[in-house]
Amino acid sequence: MSRLVAVFFISMVFCFSELRSQTLNETKDITEAYRKATRSSSGKPGERYWQNSAVYDISITVLPPSRTISGSETITYQNNSPDTLKSIVIKLILNEHKAGAAGFGGVDKDYLTTGIEIEKFLIDGKKSRWMKNMGKGTWQELPLAKPLLPGANVKMEIDWNYPISLKAGREGMLDQTTFFLAYFYPRVAVYDDYAGWDKSEFNGGPEFYSDFNDYNLKISVPANYVVWATGVLKNPEQVLQTGVIDRLKLAAESDSTISIASLEDLKGQKITKPSKINTWHFEASNVPDVAAGLSDHYIWDASSAVVDSTTGRRAEMHAAYSDTASAYREMVQDGRYALNWFSHHLPGVPYPYPKMTAFEGNADMEYPMMINDTSIEGPNGRRVTNHEIAHSWFPFYMGTNETRYAFMDEGWASTLELLIGRSYAEREVIHDLYKLKRVKPWIESARPGGEVPIITPSNELTAGYRFNAYNKPSLAYLALIDLVGENLFKKCLLEYMGRWHGKHPMPWDFFYTFNDVSGRSLNWFWNSWFFSRNYIDLSVRKVEKSDDGYAVYVRNTGGFAVPFDVVISYEDGTIESVHQTPAIWEQNGEEVIVNLGSRKSIREIKLDGDLFMDANVNDNIWMDK
Ligand SMILES: [Zn+2]
């Protein structure tokens, strides 16, 4: 009999350790990266870490209302890898507009175009084997006549044109004379240490993966057009009138909103130089992409904010918008607040760029130094602005692979929009908006067995993409703060950002850095939130009364390691709340006992997850009969 008991006991222990695994599943490519020492299991970049980069010299001509955008560029691509590259992969993202292209969702007829036409493609001065029908999808592999050796570079000269889409999404035509240009130039795909060439197809859903490059961007437009773009304007005196330059200088030092160009100024042709064509020259270094907006009637405001209080460095905040976009009247001030807050609180890293421009569109989308946002009145509009500006840190400061691991940027931006909101508004407004936008849509559809793990590559998902990119990871980061406390959380986050700034972190680099810096294995937590099919559903299975008080058996049906409050209503009418951090699930993720040592008689016990909304609240209550 005693032997039987021992066997039973051991098998229980075995099951238990299986349940709370202390290791993380690793994809073959990350394990391989550890072997090659390009990454390390402490979460630091490995001693052999490398990444490639390029210098882009781009000139484009845009002559609205003509829809044709024509461009010419030189790309100098540097191979820092230890590999000899026999081919090069070029991305033509705007081919996503072609009929027959793989699409994430349905598109309007006006969204369709003929895509990018390559007119010339020279590699090291020689005609490449780029043929007219190549580039049907959004990427194309080109053989290199001369292999690109480690440490060497290759020069490509490309001429191209494309028709801008009538239906503006993340880019396109907003009206006859207002265009937003993004993804408009042929670019080299990322070649990295874990997957080689990124041959993922762009389908309009999951976002991008880019190297950090230097850009010289020249945009030629008719005289009365203003151009806003990623980077610093290098030739203001060639394209702007003197008074405008003076106002820009003032805005760069001012907390107040300065009107750079009013509608009257534009109508009176008092803004740009009167030459037939003006070429606007922008320069940006160490950025993953460039975008631009242009218009002949968008109003222009600017100001600036301190983004580094130790050096006093300011970043400019610009807004470009139509006369009817009333929410944009506050944009410069909202943007200033966001730039300052994110720089000094969370993530607490100074805004990495000299400026930010909010351009009125309908994308609600981020680009380095630019956001393209709808004009939305009130706290929800400001929430969207905060979200898009937060992307300056995740993914742009961090260089994550958004195509594959969208939770590494969208999850953070979603969490940051809540945290910044708590600093300025009535707590309830932001709180309710977060529940409405970030929790409710997901939890109302969550079903046992119906969830896909967050770690699943984003570009493999359809309906679950948004939940896995935004909703679930955002809650996971909030649960993480609750678990380790704000100070330790910030210490770990800053170390992760310091280690991987300007590089290409993978999820394991993030998980293992937090383990390393916190000095504890959080693998059980990562497993619960990122590697499981879990969702949120707690219940009170039973309550046992004894002389010592009450034992509340809390069952975790959904499985996520969530924090929750036990709200106790006593017979005498008083109410007490006991908070449980996610640590309660570390030893047993299925059921825990919360002991309430009170001598007072309890009338009702309720589990309340607050933001961690429960899929079924009906079984969260126990009442004494
Ligand atoms: Zn986002």
Side-chain angles (χ1 to χ4, degrees):
M1 166 132 184
S2 63
R3 204 174 143 201
L4 212 91
V5 167
V7 167
F8 178 69
F9 181 69
I10 288 164
S11 69
M12 283 297 286
V13 168
F14 178 73
C15 289
F16 198 68
S17 62
E18 278 287 301
L19 197 68
R20 313 304 296 163
S21 174
Q22 285 303 307
T23 57
L24 296 186
N25 237 319
E26 289 169 357
T27 54
K28 203 174 143 205
D29 44 23
I30 186 94
T31 309
E32 190 60 9
Y34 295 146
R35 195 189 60 74
K36 291 185 290 192
T38 55
R39 286 158 204 264
S40 75
S41 50
S42 67
K44 286 183 193 153
E47 51 195 65
R48 298 219 169 104
Y49 180 83
W50 56 265
Q51 68 193 38
N52 292 347
S53 66
V55 176
Y56 285 81
D57 283 296
I58 306 173
S59 295
I60 58 168
T61 302
V62 192
L63 304 170
S66 163
R67 289 174 54 199
T68 304
I69 315 289
S70 50
S72 163
E73 70 179 347
T74 303
I75 309 173
T76 311
Y77 182 70
Q78 174 72 28
N79 179 18
N80 295 321
S81 83
D83 309 328
T84 297
L85 304 178
K86 294 187 176 126
S87 61
I88 198 146
V89 174
I90 302 293
K91 294 246 174 175
L92 299 172
I93 296 168
L94 292 184
N95 277 352
E96 192 251 335
H97 285 277
K98 279 172 127 173
F104 184 75
V107 295
D108 201 285
K109 190 162 66 58
D110 281 348
Y111 189 79
L112 299 179
T113 72
T114 48
I116 294 180
E117 187 197 350
I118 299 287
E119 300 160 16
K120 181 181 97 176
F121 203 116
L122 303 183
I123 300 179
D124 283 333
K126 294 193 191 80
K127 239 178 136 178
S128 82
R129 283 198 259 157
W130 191 286
M131 288 166 288
K132 219 172 168 48
N133 285 334
M134 285 174 91
K136 269 187 279 188
T138 56
W139 61 271
Q140 186 64 54
E141 188 161 15
L142 263 178
L144 290 171
K146 200 177 104 207
L148 180 58
L149 299 174
N153 64 53
V154 61
K155 198 164 130 186
M156 285 160 275
E157 291 156 78
I158 310 169
D159 289 352
W160 77 98
N161 71 76
Y162 74 92
I164 193 166
S165 171
L166 287 170
K167 180 95 181 169
R170 292 178 187 170
E171 38 70 44
M173 200 168 174
L174 288 152
D175 62 46
Q176 288 288 311
T177 56
T178 307
F179 292 5
F180 194 81
L181 310 177
Y183 329 133
F184 54 85
Y185 58 96
R187 65 192 66 192
V188 182
V190 175
Y191 182 82
D192 66 25
D193 66 304
Y194 62 88
W197 285 114
D198 169 27
K199 294 179 179 175
S200 56
E201 198 71 51
F202 178 68
N203 63 16
E207 293 167 16
F208 301 94
Y209 185 31
S210 311
D211 275 318
F212 289 85
N213 306 308
D214 292 341
Y215 292 86
N216 253 307
L217 173 63
K218 290 178 181 155
I219 304 180
S220 298
V221 291
N224 47 338
Y225 279 74
V226 176
V227 182
W228 297 265
T230 302
V232 172
L233 180 63
K234 298 303 285 181
N235 62 340
E237 62 295 329
Q238 283 168 18
V239 293
L240 293 167
Q241 296 185 24
T242 324
V244 182
I245 297 173
D246 291 344
R247 293 199 287 281
L248 282 170
K249 281 182 187 152
L250 184 65
E253 297 298 327
S254 171
D255 289 340
S256 321
T257 303
I258 310 286
S259 171
I260 307 297
S262 67
L263 198 56
E264 292 68 42
D265 293 336
L266 289 157
K267 280 181 185 155
Q269 306 200 328
K270 289 180 185 157
I271 302 302
T272 55
K273 280 281 164 80
S275 12
K276 192 163 175 267
I277 300 285
N278 281 328
T279 299
W280 298 62
H281 177 194
F282 297 89
E283 204 175 83
S285 52
N286 207 27
V287 290
D289 201 356
V290 287
L294 51 100
S295 177
D296 66 350
H297 63 275
Y298 264 26
I299 293 167
W300 184 3
D301 293 342
S303 183
S304 57
V306 174
V307 292
D308 189 341
S309 49
T310 49
T311 63
R313 179 170 71 86
R314 301 179 79 92
E316 293 170 27
M317 180 69 214
H318 299 252
Y321 56 100
S322 65
D323 193 33
T324 52
S326 48
Y328 263 75
R329 304 270 170 195
E330 295 302 317
M331 182 58 87
V332 159
Q333 290 304 323
D334 289 351
R336 283 185 66 243
Y337 185 90
L339 291 173
N340 178 280
W341 195 90
F342 291 138
S343 296
H344 296 106
H345 297 271
L346 263 179
V349 170
Y351 179 68
Y353 306 122
K355 63 184 252 210
M356 163 60 79
T357 302
F359 191 90
E360 187 206 350
N362 49 28
D364 300 336
M365 180 72 196
E366 72 283 5
Y367 314 82
M369 300 184 221
M370 291 199 90
I371 59 173
N372 172 330
D373 271 7
T374 324
S375 176
I376 309 167
E377 293 279 1
N380 191 38
R382 192 167 176 193
R383 180 189 66 85
V384 175
T385 303
N386 290 335
H387 176 103
E388 306 311 337
I389 291 179
H391 278 306
S392 305
W393 287 268
F394 307 97
F396 301 139
Y397 187 79
M398 300 302 293
T400 54
N401 184 341
E402 305 164 70
T403 316
R404 192 158 149 176
Y405 301 116
F407 71 89
M408 295 180 82
D409 63 291
E410 295 301 352
W412 285 115
S414 303
T415 293
L416 287 167
E417 74 190 38
L418 172 76
L419 300 179
I420 189 178
R422 282 178 180 167
S423 76
Y424 65 73
E426 303 253 341
R427 188 186 160 91
E428 274 95 286
V429 178
I430 295 304
H431 204 77
D432 291 350
L433 267 173
Y434 184 86
K435 276 183 156 178
L436 186 74
K437 303 279 180 186
R438 299 299 179 209
V439 196
K440 214 163 168 266
W442 162 62
I443 198 66
E444 285 184 346
S445 73
R447 297 282 176 275
E451 290 299 306
V452 186
I454 296 174
I455 200 75
T456 311
S458 312
N459 53 342
E460 301 291 341
L461 299 172
T462 50
Y465 164 68
R466 281 196 75 83
F467 298 152
N468 269 21
Y470 298 75
N471 312 52
K472 288 153 66 179
S474 175
L475 286 165
Y477 299 137
L478 291 174
L480 180 61
I481 297 172
D482 201 72
L483 173 68
V484 301
E486 275 177 38
N487 291 340
L488 184 55
F489 166 79
K490 195 165 169 186
K491 188 179 167 202
C492 296
L493 182 67
L494 289 179
E495 179 64 23
Y496 161 64
M497 294 180 76
R499 287 177 178 185
W500 289 96
H501 160 52
K503 299 189 173 72
H504 293 315
M506 286 178 85
W508 293 266
D509 302 316
F510 162 69
F511 300 139
Y512 293 152
T513 292
F514 264 68
N515 288 358
D516 185 36
V517 179
S518 69
R520 53 202 260 205
S521 173
L522 300 169
N523 288 348
W524 67 273
F525 180 85
W526 310 129
N527 272 322
S528 172
W529 276 96
F530 295 89
F531 293 82
S532 76
R533 294 177 172 277
N534 289 343
Y535 62 112
I536 304 173
D537 185 11
L538 301 182
S539 62
V540 182
R541 188 168 66 80
K542 64 172 179 177
V543 174
E544 282 175 355
K545 270 195 272 186
S546 71
D547 293 346
D548 296 332
Y550 295 77
V552 187
Y553 289 71
V554 180
R555 188 139 195 87
N556 195 342
T557 311
F560 270 154
V562 284
F564 62 94
D565 289 336
V566 181
V567 184
I568 310 146
S569 303
Y570 295 102
E571 292 288 3
D572 65 8
T574 55
I575 295 177
E576 199 184 347
S577 184
V578 183
H579 185 68
Q580 305 295 328
T581 78
I584 198 167
W585 306 111
E586 182 168 359
Q587 295 307 321
N588 185 344
E590 291 191 352
E591 187 166 286
V592 290
I593 302 168
V594 178
N595 288 305
L596 305 173
S598 170
R599 298 287 153 106
K600 286 204 281 186
S601 281
I602 294 176
R603 183 167 49 80
E604 183 193 281
I605 294 170
K606 193 171 98 183
L607 307 179
D608 183 2
D610 190 14
L611 294 175
F612 297 83
M613 291 168 78
D614 200 297
N616 174 19
V617 290
N618 298 326
D619 54 12
N620 288 21
I621 297 185
W622 171 87
M623 276 192 259
D624 201 7
K625 291 175 196 103

